[in-house]
Amino acid sequence: MKTLLTMALRFGLKPLLVPSLPLAVQRFAIGAATLPLRRARGIAIESTALGGRPALRLRPKGSSPNPNPSPNPTPRILYLHGGGYVVGGFASHRKLCSQLSAHTGAEVWLLDYRLAPEHPHPAAVDDAVAAARALAAQSAAPIVIAGDSAGGGLALATAMALPNQGTPEVAGLVLLSPWVDLTLSGESIRSLAGADAMLSLPWVEFCAQAYAGGSATGRSAQGCSPLFASEERLRTLPPVLIQVGDQEMLLSDAQRMAERLRAAGVSCDLQITADVGHVFQVFAGWVPEADAALQRVGLWFPDGSCGWVKQLKSRKKLHVNPG
């Protein structure tokens, strides 16, 4: 099944993610590509809004939508979808988010942030920051920001922007195949371009230009490329889990981001899965490696094994100057 699904991406979706095709076609294609994917059973999905943007709220059926305060509440996940900042949304990511909710037992909020090129940087960061603040205002339960591909980079940029807002405290970050370098300087961007079943160099270049507003210098700014954030800013981040496949162009992004986080003293768990590609977790329910990866998120996430609750009670909030 993994081979069939990989071939479907390579020969069905990848040819449609090209700069020469209208974005409307690309946006339809990324949603249609999820038709064979499996939605987790027992997950309730509710259309709502968060921070002024549309959102989906996913949670295990039978769980309380407004849990009573407890000493160790289960964190909530703010999920920022991938798609190169130019495609993606509810159609492409609701099934993945249902699987994430099922494996963690957590409430997941999938945000429909504004896309480029109609809304270049910093629109997506502004939307995600507003959503995190709105989520924090609902209850005292910790917030974890998660995302895949561009959404992984956006999760980092959002978490680094939040200390300047004063609130809320972010308990952790879960990054699936994160795109953190829009300058495309990673070694695997080119060495694994042929192996990657979904991404191509021309399309990734197109996405980087669209999000940075056509500015080459803007692509290296930390809001676009968290890899290049200052060590002072990186030190404000909570524990980070990074998952990546060894057959994808963004492997170097994940490895270099983990190195920078660890050098800044941030707890970072980098998990590299063999013989899988970009955001392979979308194949949960079909591919054993995808289920195993989300199970590892579940082990890392809800039971406090990372010491999040303890850290949240003991650490002082860090405030740094904007940069």
Side-chain angles (χ1 to χ4, degrees), residues 100-273:
L100 183 60
S101 179
H103 281 82
T104 62
E107 186 176 86
V108 178
W109 293 74
L110 172 57
L111 182 69
D112 182 27
Y113 60 85
R114 288 172 291 171
L115 298 176
E118 299 92 334
H119 305 283
H121 175 80
V125 177
D126 291 343
D127 290 348
V129 166
R133 298 186 70 183
L135 198 56
Q138 294 181 7
S139 80
I143 296 171
V144 171
I145 304 180
D148 66 278
S149 195
L154 180 56
L156 282 162
T158 301
M160 287 188 288
L162 281 168
N164 296 323
Q165 311 291 331
T167 57
E169 188 90 35
V170 178
L173 299 175
V174 175
L175 314 178
L176 311 180
S177 301
W179 187 24
V180 297
D181 175 12
L182 270 64
T183 71
L184 310 182
S185 64
E187 184 271 337
S188 64
I189 287 288
R190 287 161 180 83
S191 66
L192 291 177
D196 198 306
M198 185 185 301
L199 304 179
S200 68
L201 184 56
W203 190 70
V204 174
E205 173 68 29
F206 161 74
C207 294
Q209 291 183 4
Y211 186 58
S215 168
T217 56
R219 288 165 63 169
S220 63
Q222 68 178 21
C224 290
S225 296
L227 179 66
F228 304 125
S230 67
E231 186 168 305
E232 180 186 25
R233 185 59 62 90
L234 291 177
R235 283 198 296 266
T236 68
L237 294 174
V240 179
L241 171 63
I242 301 177
Q243 294 184 344
V244 67
D246 71 351
Q247 299 297 306
E248 62 169 300
M249 292 171 61
L250 297 186
L251 175 60
S252 293
D253 278 45
Q255 293 171 321
R256 292 182 296 157
M257 194 72 241
E259 291 174 0
R260 287 227 57 210
L261 289 168
R262 290 165 179 168
V266 177
S267 173
C268 179
D269 184 0
L270 173 63
Q271 301 175 355
I272 303 176
T273 300

Side-chain angles (χ1 to χ4, degrees), residues 96 99-100 103-104 174-176 241-245 269 271-273 276-277 279-285 287-301:
L96 173 57
Q99 294 284 354
L100 183 60
H103 281 82
T104 62
V174 175
L175 314 178
L176 311 180
L241 171 63
I242 301 177
Q243 294 184 344
V244 67
D269 184 0
Q271 301 175 355
I272 303 176
T273 300
V276 294
V279 197
F280 63 94
Q281 297 85 349
V282 299
F283 295 144
V287 175
E289 291 92 335
D291 288 308
L294 291 182
Q295 286 169 6
R296 290 194 296 272
V297 175
L299 291 172
W300 186 84
F301 168 57

Side-chain angles (χ1 to χ4, degrees), residues 37-63:
L37 304 183
R38 283 186 167 175
R39 172 180 164 181
R41 295 181 178 179
I43 300 298
I45 302 179
E46 170 192 355
S47 296
T48 182
L50 196 62
R53 292 295 303 168
L56 293 183
R57 185 184 194 180
L58 304 93
R59 58 184 175 85
K61 291 180 180 178
S63 63

